[in-house]
Structures are given as C-alpha cells and as structure tokens.
Amino acid sequence: MRITVTVDGTAYTDDVEPRLLLVHYLRDRLGKVGTVIGCDTGNCGACTVHLNGHSVKSCSVLAVQADGGDVLTVEGLSRNGTLHPVQQAFRDNHALQCGYCTPGMIMQTLDLLAEEPDPDERAVRLGLEGNLCRCTGYQNIVSAVQDAAQRLRGGGSAESTPTEAAKSDTAPGGVR
Amino acid sequence: MTATAEPEIGKARTRKEDEHLVTGRTRWTDNLVLPGMQHLAILRSPFAHARITGVDTAAAREMPGVVAVLTGADLAEEQGSLPCAWPITPDMKSPPAPSLAVDGVNFAGEAVAVVVARSAYEAHDALEAIDVDYDELPVVLDLAAAAADGADLVHPDLGTNVSATWTFDSAEAGSGGDVEQAIRDAEVLVERTFRQQRLIPAFMEPRSVVVDPTGAQITMWSATQIPHILRLMLAMTLGIPEHKLRVVAPDVGGGFGGKLQVTPEEVIALLVARRLGKPVKYTESRSETMLAAHHGRDQIQKLTLAARRDGTVTGMKVELLADMGAYLRLVTPGVPILGAFMFNGIYKFPAYHFTCTNVFTTKVPTDAYRGAGRPEATFAIERMMDELATELSLDPLELRARNWITHEEFPFDTVAGLTYDSGNYEAATARARELFDYDGLRREQSERRERNDPVQLGIGVSTFTEMCGLAPSRTLGALAYGAGGWEHAAIRMLPTGKVEVVTGSSAHGQGHETAWSQVVADQLGVPFEDVEVLHGDTQTSPRGMDTYGSRSLAVGAIAVVKAAEKVIAKARPIAAHLMECAEDDLEFTAGRFRVKGTEKAVGIGDVALAVFAAHDLPDGVEPNLDSEATYDPENFSFPHGTHLCAAEVDTETGKVRIRSYVCVDDIGHVVNPLIVEGQVHGGLAQGIAQALYEEAVYDESGTLLSGSFAEYQVPSAADLPTFTTGRTETPATGNPLGVKGVGEAGTIASTPAVVNAVLDAVRRFGVRDIEMPCTPMRVWNAIHTAQGGAR
C-alpha cells in the first residue's frame, strides 16, 4: 500500500506492506531511530510517539493507519539545538539513567501535560502508568514532569532547577 | 587554561550523557545499519525438555528473502560450549552448553534453528516454515525434588541433578565457633525456610547484536555490560584470535546483571556472519528476553538462628538449594557463593555455617541479577532478625542494636571471613528513625490494632551491609573465579590541554562519563567540560573488567585516579625544566605547578603543549603526557544503611500499599549526589518489586507463563511511592576517594524491609510468613489460612 505520512514536519510517501508496524516504518524505513522498541505487547511504552496530536504506542499501530497523518517523534522536539522544555526538565532532574525508556516517557509527558497542565503527583504517576522504566524508580521522572509543567505554563525558571538529589539529606556518619 | 577552584567531587552535576539520550540521538545496537547487512531470527523450543529427532528446513529455505537456514548440527563443529568462568569446586558438574541445540533441548526457549534473511520480517516468516520433531522428556522443575535421589535427570549423562555443593564453616575457617554447639546451647531457636522467587532482570533495551566480519578483524556490537570479558571469552571458546576480534558496547539500555553474559545469540550471530561473510543483525523480542535471557535469584533458604533470651545471637546455619537452570552460564554457580559472605549481615555473632547445593532444572539458566547473592543473604538475615525480635517481644531495631558491630569496633573481622573496614550503623539508624518518625508510626500502628482497622499498618526494618568493589583478585582466585577483579584506566593529555580518559569500566546507564569527568577535573585541576571519557569499545579501551557488582567507582574510578597521579608525576620534571627550578620546589594545586613561595607557575595544559612541541624537554623525557594504570583493590568496600518501610495492608483484599519508605545509605564519600540518588531510587524499585510484584512463573510442563510485560509485573510509576532518602558518610578506608559503591544497595536492602512491614501488619492474625511476591492473593490467603478461614 502507498502511504503518505508527515513525520517531524517532513512528508514521506512510501509503499509499505499492510502488516508493517508504525515503529518499524519510522525506524527501518525513515531512519528515525530515536523511537525505540522495548516490548511486543504494548506494555512498556518505549515506542510512544504522537499521531495527530495524541500519544500512541507505535508498536501497536500499523503504518497504513498513519496514512495521511501527522507523526511527531522525540527527534522532532528540539528546535535549532534548543531542547524542548520537557527534554530540558528530564535532563535537569536526572529523570533518566540508561535512557532507553526516555523517548517514550517524554512523548507521553507531552500528552499528559496537554490534557492536564498542572498535574499533582498522583496524576503524573497514573498518567505514566503505560510507560515502564527500570532504572529510575520513577521519582525523578515525576519531578521532571512537574517541573516541565511549570516551564510550559510559563512559570518555570529557564535555569536548571536544583533537583531532589541536590537537596538530599546528608548527616555525618563517623570518620575513621 | 582556567583552573577550577571549587571541587568537582560532591557536586550534583547534571549528566554529560543526557543530551543525546533526551533527543533520541542515541547509538543503540539495534539502530546500526551496515551495507549488505542481513537479519537473523531464532526458532526456539516450545518444550522444556526434549530430544530433537529431526529438523526439516527445506521449506524455509525457499521462503522470500531467505539467505540461509542453519541448525545446531550445521554449527556443531565450530560452536564449542558457552563458557562458565566459575568452577566453584574441583568436581563441579557442568554439561556442554551449546548456543544452538544439537541433540536436544533443556529449557523452553532454547535456540533450535536460525534463519538469515534480507529483512527481520522475512526471517520471522521463514521460522514458521521450519519443521522440528521432538521426543518429549520428563521436565525437572521443583528444586527440592530435583536434588533428591531418584529424580528425573536434566542431563542423564551426569547421573545427578546436583552440580556442586559448596560449604563454609566458621570453625573450620578459623573465623568463628561451632554452629552445632551454638544450636545445642541456644536458649531460643528460630527456624525458617524462605523462598527466593525466580526473577527476570528486565532491562528495558532488549538484547541486540550486530557482527561485521568483512573488515581486517571481526567487529561485534552488542548490548552487553561486558565487552572486554565477552571478547576474551569468545576468543577462548571459539578459537578466534583475540586481536582479530573487536567488541563494541555502544549505548546500552540497562543491564542489572542481565547483560553480564556471553549469550547464545552473540555466538550464533558471530558464527553465522563469519560463515556468510556478511554483516548480520539479531535483535530479540521482549518475549525472547523473558524466555531465553538468564533469570536471577531462585533459591530455597533453610535457616537456623541460635540466640539467648536477651536477644544475643550466638550462631546461624544456612542451607541453600540454588536453581542453576539447565546450564551453567558465565557466573551461574558463583552467584549463591557471593551471598555466603553476607548472611551474617551487620552482626557479630560468633558461629556460622553455610552450605549451598547447586541444582540443575529444565528452566532457563540463572545468573547475576542486581545484587547477585547479596540480596538473597540480606533478605534471610533481616527476616530472621525480625522473627527473633517477635519471639522475644523486642522492638526490631532494639534487637539489631544488641547484635550489630558498633562504630568503635571497626575494622571488624566477620564470622564469614571478611574484614569490614568502616561503618557506623548507629548513625544511619538514628537518622533513618528520625526521618521516618518511627515512634509516631508505631503509635499509629497500635491505634489501628486497637480499633481493628481493616487497613493495618506494618513497619519493616532492614539494617544492612553489602560488599561492593568486586573484587580483590586474590579473593577471586581463592574462590576459583576465572579472572581477577582489577580495573584499567588511561589518561591522555592533549596539546590543547583537553583530556581523554579511557576506562575499562563499561557503562550502561550509570553515568560514568559525568562521574569520571568530575574525578579527573579534581585530580588534574582541569575544567569538567574539558574531559572526554571513552569506554565500551575494546579498540579504544583495550583492557578492562567491565561493570557489575557496584565496582565502577570503587575500582574503575580509582584506576582513573592512579592514572592521573602518573600524569602529574610525568609532568612535574617537565614543569621544573620549563621554569628552571628544582622539582622539589614545585607544588601542584588546581591544575598548576607553582614554584613554592612565588607567583611563578605553569598550568598542566601548558606542559602538555610544551611536551607536544618537544622543542625543549629534559633529557630522556618521552614527548607525551599519557599514562595508564591498573588498580586491584586490597579489599571490598562495605556500604551500609538503614531502611524503614511503612506498609498499609488491607486485610479485606490483601492489597499492600507502601505508605512511606525511608532509607539512609552510607556509601562513603559521594562523587555526584544526583547520580547516587538516582541509583538508590532505581534500586529500591527493583527490591520492592521482588517483595510485592515480580516472579517468573513456569507451569507444570515447564512453559514460562510470565513471558511478557503483560504477565511479569515490572512496577509502573503508579505502583511505587515517593522515597525519602538520606545519607551518612563514613568513608571507605581502602581507596583514596573513600568511596564504597551504590548500584545495588537499594535492591539489597529494600526487599526485607517491605516483607518485614507486611508481616508486621498481619502477625496479629497469626501469620508467620508470606512467600514473595506478597501479592494481594497471597496476603489474603495467609490471613485466612492463619485464622482457619474463619474471617
């Protein structure tokens, strides 16, 4: 089948097999390898992108279903070398370690904040329920999402915010 | 060049690694596309135990895009056996472990045949056209039954399912007394049997390997934790000259021990690529990860704790059954042995006996998983201390304080034969108590009990230590491990004053580039931004022992410090020559050699430029400012801490909710508090997951039921609480940075804290134990069973 899809602002027309998954179309045909695959059951969310303005798990969407659509991936977020506020917030809050879940987390965060610009901690945790991370224990991700929310609402500082870690409690133990 | 005034060590630097990770410009192995590259897919056994009586590949060969179809028989001559580097006893039984099954299969998911095709889709299509005939054999699943006489055998040629038995006895070792005597003399005996369920490491990036055989040497890119060990093992087991093999671990999406392996898939991809003379890529699906990448834990622990009525512990006996799975992988037999040294925890009881029986079953092999042996040991001792406290009606923290090694007693030789160099359990516990509001929560607990609140509150304690900085080479040698535990580093001062650091410690999310830059910036007095850290490629980093066992900072970064010291030593006579003074007149501070008592100084970057120009060097000085160093630790390091968990247990549904979690970890000096905090959080999540959520489950036919993220419950953000973390700092005495290591602490400490909390909530109903994971069903059942189903 012939499809036309706009990805990160560029239109592509390609012949694809009907069974080709959107994530494989992005990665293997377009070279958009910023979007990654973590599972084959739609549970981990690593492959999350936006299709027509909403987050989807691109391992659970066929490329033909995106025909005529507009796809945004993590690679389309930063402009002229400036990180998107969500990317910047993830960086500043140490919301990633190995970074494999990060593209999906960032794309899901954008969707979450579009629906709820000022989520409390519980709302953030529930909003990210479909995205798994094995490194961070999620705490810094939650902080990053709330920090990003503040930046996007215009109330945030452009500067790096001190993170929870920087504020970590330290008491003297004993020195030998 | 500007010298940095403020120390970098201790700063919460955001990571150098992150810019490319948040923008998607990452070098995952699966991103790699090479000219002419073919795709490999693997047919896996649906049976746990079977003989292969025939494989028909004719139809698959005719499928579109297919380049080759290969069976185990095709590779039998060249594939050798997957390596096990840890023969724990001289008589250890270790069956041949083929990468691609030849005669039969011994676990569901074992690789049986491979297809190579133009695309991954075509390769997977062709897998379905391969016809394999199997004769099913009896499965061996239950650990205790497998170890018993007359059991069905996984490997009939061995005549037994027992691979090895390994024993430590404090009386024999001279590190303590006789356990049997302690048990005979005990005023109180606590006996328990715990089950460490089988876990799946569940790194987010599935394993992937690309092999390019077309160059002067074979290059393998792999999502591995251990590029150096992998290259060596491939060379030794496949007979490929080591210098003709390059292994690259580009960005690696997590490991947790799960990528500390020489995998069948790596061997197969290498052999197939070499045979075809074309680059080949294999990337597994998540289901394949679950099925065929090694699992962790899986032990039955039988424990006997002897004590006096005042709470003084007098001895402990540990008898383990450890599930090896179907084969011994790289360090499979050694994992329970690592735990042998930690069952005594932070306590100074005088008699200890440990014995472990390693058993084969028809399941995927076990091997390292975050903590590797130490979480199992810590769980056992911390659960036993709670059981003893219950028996004696003592507060669990009070009981611990009566038994732990006091701050004044360090360094302390333990009953398990280790020397703990430093620690302050009093300080960490006091701090944790305060952050947690221990007394306030105990009051609330009493109130809820009094009013029979359907939601009961439990408080769980875990005061722990672990051993990091794996490992002193002599110790590893004494344990029959196949290699040393040193680490290598090199530093190259460039003519512009910039610094390249080469480390043998191969990162996969830990932030080495940032932390090593901070260490080097302080050592050499150069800006943080001027340091580039190179790792994960045997070509740029030819020597190394890689990353596992929380050894990166306590061993790898110390090698970096040693290399920096050599650079300074090398630069000193040159600086003296440039300033026409005696070497002894120079002091090196903040990146500058200064003539004492004067303003005359030269920066180390200026020395590097002078060295590069080489116009005017002292006689006999080589024109470079490079160095390398290999550091072998004298001892392990011993982080410790106190973790406190408050859990709400709904007695009507069995659901457990972590109300609050406080941990105070003492990991010695901290290089980057931001990274430390992240490591603690992630570790806690994995340890809590063992307590409440995760378990690899096989059915009675040996089929893995938890074969995807739909069934294997890796916790999401909604399942976990916000953690309160604190630190005390008691420096390690064995290394110049005073660092201990943090990667595994959270995982090791948290599992018993959570289970102790759950039990503390439901003990009033007569519940004595709940198997992990403490799912709502198990908790509900435990309450009802204890009450005779009367509730």
Side-chain angles (χ1 to χ4, degrees), chain A residues 19-21 24 27 33-34 36-41 43-44 74-75 83 87 91-92 94 96-100 102 106 121-122 125-126 129 132 134-140 163 165-166 168-174 176, chain B residues 15 18-19 21-24 28 30-31 121 125 200-202 204-206 253-254 256 285-287 369 407-408 410 424 431 509 673-674 677-679 681-682 686 694 715-718 720-723 726-730:
Chain A
R19 64 170 173 168
L20 184 71
L21 295 172
H24 288 133
R27 289 179 55 81
V33 292
V36 297
I37 303 167
C39 73
D40 32 43
T41 49
N43 291 88
C44 85
V74 72
E75 293 175 63
L83 295 181
Q87 292 172 314
R91 213 190 147 168
D92 292 344
H94 186 38
L96 59 148
Q97 288 175 34
C98 83
Y100 200 77
T102 307
I106 287 174
E121 186 195 326
R122 195 67 205 149
R125 288 183 179 274
L126 290 172
E129 204 173 10
L132 297 177
R134 193 57 158 173
C135 296
T136 63
Y138 303 103
Q139 187 152 328
N140 288 344
T163 63
S168 173
D169 167 84
T170 304
R176 266 182 185 272
Chain B
R15 297 197 315 174
D18 289 350
E19 176 132 7
L21 294 171
V22 297
T23 51
W28 309 115
D30 188 45
N31 293 358
Y121 276 62
D125 287 344
I200 301 180
M204 290 311 298
E205 179 206 21
F256 316 112
S285 68
R286 177 59 54 179
S287 312
Y369 171 52
H407 184 50
E408 291 69 36
F410 288 94
N424 189 340
R431 188 78 192 109
L674 196 66
E677 194 76 355
Q679 291 270 314
H681 292 166
Q686 286 188 10
E694 296 182 16
S716 77
L720 293 170
T722 297
F723 311 115
R727 284 199 309 274
T728 55
E729 286 198 7
T730 311

Side-chain angles (χ1 to χ4, degrees), chain B residues 377-390:
Chain B
T378 301
F379 178 84
I381 182 67
E382 289 305 292
R383 283 284 298 109
M384 292 300 276
M385 292 303 275
D386 259 34
E387 293 303 307
L388 179 61
T390 303

Side-chain angles (χ1 to χ4, degrees), chain B residues 700-724:
Chain B
E700 67 281 358
S701 71
T703 302
L704 183 67
L705 297 179
S706 54
S708 79
F709 280 148
E711 301 90 11
Y712 188 83
Q713 200 190 346
V714 170
S716 77
D719 298 315
L720 293 170
T722 297
F723 311 115
T724 302

Side-chain angles (χ1 to χ4, degrees), chain B residues 575 578-579 586-587 589 591-596 598-604 606-607:
Chain B
L578 291 174
M579 293 189 285
L586 290 179
E587 57 185 8
T589 49
R592 296 176 80 73
F593 290 98
R594 183 179 305 278
V595 182
K596 288 174 195 164
T598 74
E599 289 302 304
K600 208 170 167 189
V602 58
I604 193 160
D606 303 324
V607 178

